[in-house]
Amino acid sequence: MNTIRRIVLIIMICTVMPMFLYANAEKPIAVFGFEKSSYQLGEPIIVQETSYSKSGSKITQKEWMAIVGGKRKTSHSIDTLLKGIQTGSVEVFLRVKDAQKVWSDWTSHKVEVKPIKPLKITSFKTEHKSYDIGEKLQFTYNYDNPNDLVIKSQRWRYKNIKTSENVISGKPKYFSRAGAYEVSLEVQDEWGNWSNKATCTVKVSEQKIKRNGKYLFTRGKQGDLLEGYIDKEYNTFDELEDVQVTDIPGTLIVSNSPESISSSGILYKDTSVGVGRLVVHHLNNTTHSKKLMVIASTPENQPVKLTVKNLAIKGPHKDILKTGQAVVREYFETKPEKTYTITPGVLTSIYDSSQIKKWENEEIISGMFDFESDGPITWTVVSMDIESPLEYLSKLQVLEKDMHIRGTFDVIERKYHINITQLKNPGKITIGGGTDEWLVGKDALTGKSVVNRGNYGLPINMYLESTEDMGIIINARGGSYLGAIKWNKNKVFDTPSEEVLSDKKVAALIGMVKAGTTTEWTYMLPNGSSAPVLFGFVPAHLWEQ
């Protein structure tokens, strides 16, 4: 009997004591919210959770709950809870426990999941009605991307229609047998959603071509990858000797540090007079919607005339390489100029990303523009909260720089004059890899010397004269490269036109220069891509080897 009484007493103590211990303990507060009130199916649902304890105790446990289809679902992870969620209204609950083992009350918010706006291929065809055996296939397609998402994957398949062979996965480069082939394409966005399947028919004649230099340099498309030709280490090409380099003076302002911003602040600031170029390249590494602004003002006591032209700033976007390529392409295509009157004491917005859309987490804004002024212009590049007015600039602090480039340089263009006579073996020029090539300038915010490694924002105009027809290729030497070339001042094309140059044994076609003529092309290292790059020169007497 005494034993039973002791057991009952212990149970009472264990039950009642916690009530006394935590009777006065304050409950922690569960706090969360959705970044948006509605999301599309498959879109990442962003939840901002800021639960806390009034006593300062650490939050040690979270319990999420949702009512989905009339059924209760719980998880310690919000990502797990929402995984596989379907369309409709969903109420999400949260409670938290602190280090004192006290649970908060439940709090809840509703979120709407809507059907996705579909990614749709609207056209898919070949550039020519028929191709020869071994001829490079050229596909063109268009698609509707209503959410402006990154296309992260493509699914290519093809088969011989007549022989009913098995379907082969992969994008066909060219066909080695005559016949009719069905080729299909699907694309996938960053949310994991696939488009519709589009198909086209490729007809291949009995005519066979040899994929040598003669074919590639006379019939190839500029920007194409060179498959099945050379396939060697391009760095073994001979260094060209008769090359004259000239620099064109001007003010080059580069704002790329910190590349990933962690808060609002001033990214770079300096004053220029005359001709110049301004380059920006920043990624939003915060959890808040931001905007990037380029602001012009003048320290003078009288108005200054400012002309801005060739403005090519792209984003916000998540694909860094393709954004950099699009910037160079648009810059080379030349855009109309705009004239401003910069009044003393007045801040003038030259670029404001919020006029395009919100700058969200992990999105890049990248670009450049040329300018000319008849007096001093103070340039300020800033990251700000999306709602902040321009006048908030005076409250911003300079953000600490990182390993990337921030500075002002005194060269805005470089010219290469290349003269080739009696080239026995393929030749090369490597650009952007040597310390003696890199521009040296000054960080106006610290006064320290800075180096523009790779020479971002510097157009390289190349002029070639040759005594023999010459094929020109480009090869990436420093890593991933996705860019564009301006050819003879009137044609702009992507290099490469497909995929990414990253393999040191893969090159893309730049073009062919006829003997006795002078040809010009312009290259610029795209923001996000890596230097150096190699330009290769293959004389006509080697094309059929």
Side-chain angles (χ1 to χ4, degrees), residues 295-306 340-348 374-378:
I295 301 165
S297 60
T298 180
E300 293 290 279
N301 56 11
Q302 59 185 10
V304 174
K305 180 182 177 182
L306 171 67
Y340 301 82
T341 298
I342 308 302
T343 305
V346 177
L347 300 175
T348 302
D374 63 2
I377 295 291
T378 298

Side-chain angles (χ1 to χ4, degrees), residues 318-338:
K318 288 192 175 181
D319 194 320
I320 296 176
L321 284 175
K322 286 189 176 180
T323 300
Q325 181 180 55
V327 167
V328 175
R329 182 196 314 122
E330 187 169 301
Y331 177 81
F332 283 164
E333 287 171 347
T334 306
K335 299 182 69 176
E337 62 183 41
K338 184 175 182 179

Side-chain angles (χ1 to χ4, degrees), residues 118-123 142-144 185-187 194-199:
L119 176 68
K120 183 179 180 181
I121 299 176
T122 56
S123 67
N142 295 301
Y143 55 84
D144 287 336
L185 169 66
E186 299 165 83
V187 294
W194 286 95
S195 71
N196 59 310
K197 181 190 288 186
T199 62

Side-chain angles (χ1 to χ4, degrees), residues 174-393:
Y174 50 86
F175 289 113
S176 55
R177 286 192 295 172
Y181 296 82
E182 180 184 87
V183 180
S184 67
L185 169 66
E186 299 165 83
V187 294
Q188 184 186 39
D189 65 31
E190 63 187 85
W191 294 347
N193 299 302
W194 286 95
S195 71
N196 59 310
K197 181 190 288 186
T199 62
C200 70
T201 300
V202 180
K203 296 181 180 179
V204 182
S205 71
E206 298 285 349
Q207 185 71 31
K208 187 174 182 179
I209 64 171
K210 187 176 181 181
R211 293 184 56 79
N212 56 18
K214 183 177 181 180
Y215 163 71
L216 293 169
F217 292 128
T218 59
R219 294 181 57 185
K221 182 179 179 180
Q222 288 175 303
D224 274 357
L225 294 177
L226 303 181
E227 296 100 356
Y229 177 65
I230 300 181
D231 293 333
K232 63 180 292 184
E233 174 58 74
Y234 291 92
N235 209 34
T236 60
F237 284 9
D238 294 343
E239 195 77 42
L240 295 184
E241 296 180 353
D242 193 353
V243 180
Q244 305 297 322
V245 181
T246 306
D247 283 345
I248 306 301
T251 302
L252 175 61
I253 298 173
V254 180
S255 177
N256 177 221
S257 184
E259 183 169 285
S260 297
I261 66 156
S262 56
S263 67
S264 296
I266 295 173
L267 298 164
Y268 193 53
K269 185 176 183 178
D270 198 3
T271 300
S272 69
V273 179
V275 176
R277 182 176 306 109
L278 189 144
V279 179
V280 295
H281 185 74
H282 296 282
L283 182 140
N284 182 0
N285 197 33
T286 75
T287 57
H288 303 286
S289 299
K290 296 285 185 182
K291 62 182 174 182
L292 184 77
M293 298 189 71
V294 179
I295 301 165
S297 60
T298 180
E300 293 290 279
N301 56 11
Q302 59 185 10
V304 174
K305 180 182 177 182
L306 171 67
T307 301
V308 172
K309 61 181 180 180
N310 301 328
L311 192 148
I313 302 180
K314 309 297 286 185
H317 211 272
K318 288 192 175 181
D319 194 320
I320 296 176
L321 284 175
K322 286 189 176 180
T323 300
Q325 181 180 55
V327 167
V328 175
R329 182 196 314 122
E330 187 169 301
Y331 177 81
F332 283 164
E333 287 171 347
T334 306
K335 299 182 69 176
E337 62 183 41
K338 184 175 182 179
T339 300
Y340 301 82
T341 298
I342 308 302
T343 305
V346 177
L347 300 175
T348 302
S349 173
I350 304 301
Y351 171 80
D352 180 355
S353 67
S354 66
Q355 295 181 359
I356 303 169
K357 70 172 191 174
K358 293 179 180 179
W359 187 19
E360 305 291 5
N361 176 252
E362 296 300 314
E363 291 184 333
I364 196 79
I365 295 177
S366 185
M368 70 190 81
F369 58 80
D370 296 333
F371 60 81
E372 183 174 1
S373 67
D374 63 2
I377 295 291
T378 298
W379 299 97
T380 309
V381 182
V382 297
S383 61
M384 305 173 73
D385 289 342
I386 191 74
E387 307 87 359
S388 298
L390 189 59
E391 292 72 26
Y392 190 70
L393 175 65

Side-chain angles (χ1 to χ4, degrees), residues 93-153:
F93 299 79
L94 171 67
R95 69 171 183 165
V96 297
K97 184 170 71 173
D98 64 17
Q100 302 300 320
K101 299 184 179 179
V102 178
W103 282 98
S104 71
D105 293 326
W106 287 98
T107 186
S108 71
H109 293 284
K110 288 185 178 180
V111 64
E112 185 79 16
V113 180
K114 298 180 178 180
I116 189 169
K117 299 174 184 176
L119 176 68
K120 183 179 180 181
I121 299 176
T122 56
S123 67
F124 177 49
K125 60 184 180 180
T126 56
E127 287 194 356
H128 306 301
K129 292 183 178 180
S130 67
Y131 289 83
D132 296 336
I133 295 172
E135 184 177 0
K136 172 78 173 184
L137 302 175
Q138 303 286 355
F139 295 96
T140 61
Y141 62 92
N142 295 301
Y143 55 84
D144 287 336
N145 186 3
N147 297 307
D148 192 28
L149 299 176
V150 173
I151 302 302
K152 73 172 188 178
S153 182

